[in-house]
Amino acid sequence: DTEVTQTPKHLVMGMTNKKSLKCEQHMGHRAMYWYKQKAKKPPELMFVYSYEKLSINESVPSRFSPECPNSSLLNLHLHALQPEDSALYLCASSQTGTGELYEQYFGPGTRLTVT
Amino acid sequence: AQKITQTQPGMFVQEKEAVTLDCTYDTSDPSYGLFWYKQPSSGEMIFLIYQGSYDQQNATEGRYSLNFQKARKSANLVISASQLGDSAMYFCAMREANTNAGKSTFGDGTTLTVKP
């Protein structure tokens, strides 16, 4: 099973709302990622969790707050977003270990619109 | 300097023909991996093929093969016998073992359109 699931598929939120994106994988991967992707652009890395600990934060604004409750789940909490935050948010997972040269498995993404 | 360069914003291919998508990279890390991903319009990124910097042979995976020329720092994706379902955006990506650990660098992508 190489599936990463993400909910919701679509989300429309106002600038004062609080919402959360969820991601789940059952491949036993210990590295999980959040990416932001604008139309026709490559994905931009936001956060990396390794063994449930935040290992990389790519200077993401604090209105995005990641959380890794366990080795299978990854959340992204959203608060006071701006219209420019509208994008496709992709979650991914991979094996982890010395060298880190493992492929990533992506979920289908959440299309976020901030009004 | 951009680490992954995909010079073809868009490509067209006739159904059942082969197509090559170009990717060049730049790194000083001797240990790295090169990846190709497919992203249909639905949004999900699908892993296609992997080439390690120390691999002696070009990677192949079904209709996908990677033309790896280490000295030229190129890792082109070859899709044989194109199908309509191959129409998508394709990203080349790199991970370095000793620098930028845990990160993937993506190229800007190539949009492939397969014509019937």
Side-chain angles (χ1 to χ4, degrees), chain B residues 27-99:
Chain B
T27 180
S28 56
D29 193 325
S31 179
Y32 55 89
L34 296 155
F35 305 82
W36 278 92
Y37 293 90
K38 171 185 177 182
Q39 189 174 38
S41 56
S42 57
E44 184 173 353
M45 298 267 285
I46 303 164
F47 165 68
L48 295 178
I49 195 166
Y50 163 79
Q51 181 84 43
S53 58
Y54 294 119
D55 292 344
Q56 295 296 313
Q57 298 204 333
N58 287 342
T60 60
E61 198 69 53
R63 293 186 300 111
Y64 305 108
S65 60
L66 206 152
N67 183 359
F68 181 46
Q69 298 190 43
K70 194 171 181 177
R72 291 186 171 186
K73 294 189 173 178
S74 75
N76 298 338
L77 176 71
V78 180
I79 305 174
S80 63
S82 297
Q83 302 172 354
L84 295 178
D86 294 334
S87 293
M89 193 148 189
Y90 289 80
F91 290 99
C92 178
M94 177 173 66
R95 300 189 83 163
E96 296 158 298
N98 301 308
T99 54

Side-chain angles (χ1 to χ4, degrees), chain A residues 95-112:
Chain A
Q95 297 180 62
T96 186
T98 304
E100 301 280 344
L101 298 180
Y102 297 109
E103 68 273 17
Q104 294 174 297
Y105 291 91
F106 286 81
T110 294
R111 292 196 185 272
L112 174 67

Side-chain angles (χ1 to χ4, degrees), chain A residues 11 13-20 76-81:
Chain A
L11 179 62
M13 60 185 290
M15 289 190 283
T16 58
N17 291 159
K18 281 187 183 180
K19 295 284 185 186
S20 296
L76 185 63
H77 303 297
L78 314 173
H79 174 54
L81 295 193

Side-chain angles (χ1 to χ4, degrees), chain A residues 4-6 21-23 32-38 41-47 74 76 87-93 104-112, chain B residues 37-40 42-46 91 106:
Chain A
V4 176
T5 58
Q6 287 187 246
L21 309 185
K22 290 191 167 186
C23 173
M32 296 186 77
Y33 312 78
W34 279 115
Y35 287 89
K36 173 184 177 181
Q37 187 180 27
K38 292 281 200 179
K41 296 291 186 184
E44 301 170 29
L45 183 65
M46 299 174 72
F47 303 102
L74 186 65
L76 185 63
L88 179 68
Y89 287 83
L90 292 165
C91 172
S93 71
Q104 294 174 297
Y105 291 91
F106 286 81
T110 294
R111 292 196 185 272
L112 174 67
Chain B
Y37 293 90
K38 171 185 177 182
Q39 189 174 38
S42 57
E44 184 173 353
M45 298 267 285
I46 303 164
F91 290 99
F106 287 84

